[in-house]
């Protein structure tokens, strides 16, 4: 499973990249709205901070404008993936961009049929939103499993990117699905690295080692 951070916060990206576990970043207009800096600068910094793919979402609405903006985003950095929301009017745009070699991440996927349609167009990534399904009382991990089944049954090349993950439990369940990528809020990633029993165990070993009365093991 590849791990992406779902954020536009440069401090958090800088903090977690040294773990060696961050394979990419997903941003969206909501993330960028929280940064209080020029979005172009924020995105430029992020693209320089990670080697892996960085998803940047279009904000235009009309299909022609989305096409032009997607082309502009695609040229912004070598590791950019253009994020486009699922909509009927964007399917021809996506088809054109894929034919031009642009890597697309189709976002706001809520059914296996939406996933099937964009997989047929050859997009790079497909993002089912687990948490937002859970929000309305439907099991988001089931949606994810159905999307993965579609990909596997028809041998599509698109990578499935589990998005809208809000809790450790969701991430843990997702690890059992074989999904290609999980994009995590930094808080969930941080929480997963801390366990009270691990911390307690370290304290106990430290306390016992003090009883030995030596600094190093081989002193
Ligand atoms: O980046 C898209 C997705 O991960 C957003 O998650 O928590 O706003 O539903 P959320």
């Amino acid at each position: 499973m590849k791990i992406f951070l779902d954020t536009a916060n440069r401090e958090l990206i800088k903090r977690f990249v040294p773990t060696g576990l961050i394979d990419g970043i997903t941003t969206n207009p909501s993330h960028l709205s929280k940064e209080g800096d020029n979005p172009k600068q924020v995105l430029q910094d992020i693209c320089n901070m990670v080697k892996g793919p960085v998803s940047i979402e279009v904000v235009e609405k009309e299909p022609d404008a989305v096409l032009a903006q997607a082309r502009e985003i695609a040229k912004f950095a070598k590791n950019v993936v253009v994020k486009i929301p699922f909509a009927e009017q964007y399917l021809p745009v996506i088809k054109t961009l894929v034919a031009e070699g642009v890597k697309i991440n189709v976002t706001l996927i809520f059914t296996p049929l939406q996933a099937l349609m964009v997989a047929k167009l050859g997009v790079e990534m497909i993002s089912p939103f687990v948490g937002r399904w859970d929000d309305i009382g439907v099991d988001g991990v089931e949606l994810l499993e159905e999307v993965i089944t579609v990909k596997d049954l028809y041998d599509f090349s698109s990578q499935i990117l589990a998005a809208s993950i809000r809790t450790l439990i969701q991430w843990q369940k997702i690890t059992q699905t074989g999904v290609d990528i999980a994009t995590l809020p930094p808080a969930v990633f941080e929480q997963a690295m801390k366990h009270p029993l691990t911390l307690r165990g370290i304290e106990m070993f430290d306390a016992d080692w003090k009883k030995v009365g030596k600094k190093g093991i081989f002193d």
Side-chain angles (χ1 to χ4, degrees), residues 19-85:
T19 63
L21 293 171
I22 306 306
D23 300 302
I25 304 289
T26 50
T27 68
N28 62 35
S30 305
H31 292 328
L32 288 168
S33 74
K34 293 176 195 147
E35 293 311 304
D37 197 356
N38 182 314
K40 186 177 179 186
Q41 186 61 55
V42 172
L43 293 167
Q44 188 68 68
D45 291 344
I46 294 173
C47 288
N48 291 335
M49 288 164 82
V50 293
K51 285 199 186 117
V54 176
S55 287
I56 301 178
E57 190 159 340
V58 294
V59 291
E60 291 289 353
K61 291 282 148 266
E62 291 306 312
D64 285 348
V66 168
L67 180 61
Q69 190 173 51
R71 286 175 173 149
E72 194 186 357
I73 293 171
K75 284 193 216 132
F76 185 68
K78 276 187 192 153
N79 51 344
V80 154
V81 175
V82 182
K83 215 177 188 188
I84 299 179

Side-chain angles (χ1 to χ4, degrees), residues 89-162:
Q89 65 271 29
Y90 299 151
L91 296 179
V93 171
I94 292 169
K95 183 171 184 273
T96 301
L97 290 165
V98 169
E100 291 174 6
V102 175
K103 289 185 175 170
I104 308 285
N105 172 2
V106 182
T107 191
L108 291 164
I109 293 291
F110 290 96
T111 73
L113 293 178
Q114 289 176 322
L116 173 83
M117 287 186 260
V118 291
K120 279 177 69 71
L121 295 181
V123 300
E124 180 76 7
M125 295 170 190
I126 299 173
S127 295
F129 272 39
V130 174
R132 292 194 197 182
W133 250 43
D134 285 354
D135 289 346
I136 58 164
V138 186
D139 187 343
V141 177
E142 262 179 41
L143 160 73
L144 183 63
E145 283 166 346
E146 287 172 10
V147 168
I148 293 168
T149 300
V150 167
K151 171 190 154 136
D152 291 345
L153 279 176
Y154 299 99
D155 204 19
F156 287 122
S157 62
S158 309
Q159 298 181 75
I160 308 303
L161 186 159

Side-chain angles (χ1 to χ4, degrees), residues 148-183:
I148 293 168
T149 300
V150 167
K151 171 190 154 136
D152 291 345
L153 279 176
Y154 299 99
D155 204 19
F156 287 122
S157 62
S158 309
Q159 298 181 75
I160 308 303
L161 186 159
S164 186
I165 298 168
R166 314 254 183 73
T167 66
L168 264 191
I169 302 267
Q170 281 168 334
W171 188 21
Q172 278 178 194
K173 282 190 183 164
I174 283 164
T175 63
Q176 305 304 300
T177 65
V179 74
D180 301 300
I181 307 164
T183 190

